[in-house]
Amino acid sequence: MRVLVTGGAGYIGSHTARLLTESGLEPIVYDNLSKGHRRAVQWCPLIVGDLANRDLLYDTLTKHRIEAVVHFAAFIAVGESMQRPGVYFRNNVANTLNLLECMKDANVGNIVFSSTAAVYGDPIAVPITESHPRNPVNPYGETKLMMERALHWYGECHGFRWAALRYFNACGAHPDAKIGEVHEPETHLIPLVMQAALGQREDVGVFGRDYPTPDGTAIRDYIHILDLGEAHVRALEYLNAGGASGAFNLGTGKGQSVQEVISAVERVTGTKVPVRDCPRRAGDPPELVADATHAFETLNWKPRMSDLDTIIETAWRWETIGRPKR
């Protein structure tokens, strides 16, 4: 199967493209390199292009005889989406509609869509199932929900089959440290903790120690990047076999607190992490944990590398050995 991986030079996209190759599929990465990195695409061809370029996108789908799409290309920073909502709607919605239209014209009907737990908004029950009300509290989550709804209607009107994978907290790196997490600026907890441990930043902020959790810090569901990538492979196989369209939570079903993450980094690396206590951030719920039973049962997928020590070990190897020097 020839698969177009949009945003395949980014963090999740590059790991997934590599797994697709290792699974015997033929990925083609399509990325404008505005957020992704050319060096992350080492195992398959790269086409440098923007989803706004309808002609190039259509030519890519037809020339390479693409049979399915895995769509990662999107802006993902929640805070930035609050400051620049127009940019997020243009990129995440308008450009994705360009992709869907080109797929329709090129007779490509299967798509795995990179969605997010942000479609749920503030949880009313934990763990969160796919039937939880969807009420985003930021433009980023709204753009993803809008595209899930568009996928539904492209399925109804044009026969598309789709899987929307709602991630919780992606983390870790490939064990060989050839690819890993690089965001500029970095906003994710685990790389921030490690960079503080390495002296690359003064400290790491802990936003709130007064949550109604066992240690007072917020709890999140952390899932290893290779487990996420494997879910995309399984979703493609599921759709190719005629599976019904739908949304799937991707998480472990177990939460880890901010303090537990910091303590795990100190334990695994033997390095003290400088910490700065800060007030809670507006909109941060105490706990976000997935119920991923639907993915377990339907996609025949389960996390294998998402214990916290494995996450920390692979991320530390990337930060100390693999990551290009800044």
Side-chain angles (χ1 to χ4, degrees):
M1 185 192 303
R2 293 193 170 194
V3 183
L4 188 71
V5 183
T6 68
Y11 175 43
I12 304 175
S14 62
H15 285 79
T16 300
R18 181 174 176 178
L19 283 174
L20 290 169
T21 300
E22 293 169 352
S23 299
L25 304 178
E26 296 182 55
I28 308 290
V29 167
Y30 187 96
D31 198 301
N32 66 8
L33 301 182
S34 64
K35 302 289 186 181
H37 305 274
R38 189 183 296 270
R39 62 179 175 271
V41 186
Q42 303 176 33
W43 297 273
C44 61
L46 166 65
I47 295 171
V48 179
D50 197 284
L51 291 179
N53 187 338
R54 291 275 295 270
D55 290 340
L56 178 59
L57 186 53
Y58 175 79
D59 287 347
T60 300
L61 290 166
T62 54
K63 176 182 176 182
H64 292 276
R65 303 191 304 279
I66 297 298
E67 300 168 74
V69 172
V70 183
H71 179 42
F72 295 101
F75 294 155
I76 64 170
V78 170
E80 182 184 50
S81 80
M82 295 292 289
Q83 298 167 354
R84 306 174 70 197
V87 171
Y88 274 67
F89 283 102
R90 185 178 306 111
N91 188 59
N92 294 6
V93 177
N95 283 352
T96 300
L97 291 173
N98 282 342
L99 172 64
L100 297 183
E101 284 295 296
C102 288
M103 289 175 60
K104 174 175 67 68
D105 294 343
N107 295 313
V108 180
N110 286 0
I111 180 170
V112 177
F113 175 62
S114 172
S115 192
T116 173
V119 300
Y120 297 117
D122 294 331
I124 60 175
V126 177
I128 299 169
T129 67
E130 289 85 357
S131 62
H132 186 286
R134 285 162 288 167
N135 186 28
V137 295
N138 53 67
Y140 165 63
E142 188 67 46
T143 63
K144 291 294 190 176
L145 180 56
M146 289 176 71
M147 294 322 305
E148 286 193 16
R149 289 170 171 158
L151 286 170
H152 165 78
W153 288 111
Y154 271 76
E156 292 292 312
C157 301
H158 301 303
F160 277 37
R161 289 211 306 276
W162 54 273
L165 305 186
R166 297 172 180 164
Y167 313 155
F168 280 63
N169 286 62
C171 51
H174 198 284
D176 68 9
K178 290 184 178 178
I179 47 176
E181 187 167 10
V182 179
H183 298 113
E184 296 295 343
E186 185 57 71
T187 60
H188 292 177
L189 176 64
I190 290 175
L192 290 175
V193 173
M194 293 191 169
Q195 289 163 21
L198 289 166
Q200 296 170 355
R201 58 181 68 242
E202 288 187 11
D203 51 40
V204 63
V206 176
F207 293 91
R209 289 190 179 273
D210 57 349
Y211 284 103
T213 61
D215 63 21
T217 63
I219 291 173
R220 297 293 182 265
D221 191 336
Y222 296 94
I223 179 165
H224 195 281
I225 190 70
L226 289 190
D227 287 332
L228 275 183
E230 180 65 25
H232 292 77
V233 177
R234 297 296 178 91
L236 274 176
E237 294 170 344
Y238 167 77
L239 293 176
N240 194 49
S245 299
F248 300 87
N249 286 341
L250 297 184
T252 67
K254 179 182 179 182
Q256 309 281 352
S257 73
V258 172
Q259 184 56 56
E260 285 177 318
V261 170
I262 294 170
S263 298
V265 170
E266 292 182 331
R267 181 181 69 253
V268 171
T269 69
T271 306
K272 185 68 176 175
V273 177
V275 170
R276 171 174 43 91
D277 289 344
C278 308
R280 292 190 194 184
R281 291 179 296 203
D284 270 0
E287 185 174 4
L288 290 174
V289 176
D291 183 333
T293 303
H294 184 38
F296 298 165
E297 295 178 348
T298 307
L299 302 181
N300 191 29
W301 168 84
K302 282 194 176 180
R304 298 178 294 109
M305 298 183 64
S306 292
D307 62 282
L308 193 53
D309 280 11
T310 299
I311 289 169
I312 298 302
E313 287 165 2
T314 59
W316 183 254
R317 194 173 300 127
W318 165 251
E319 291 289 345
T320 56
I321 298 173
R323 182 179 179 132
K325 302 303 179 185
R326 288 172 289 177

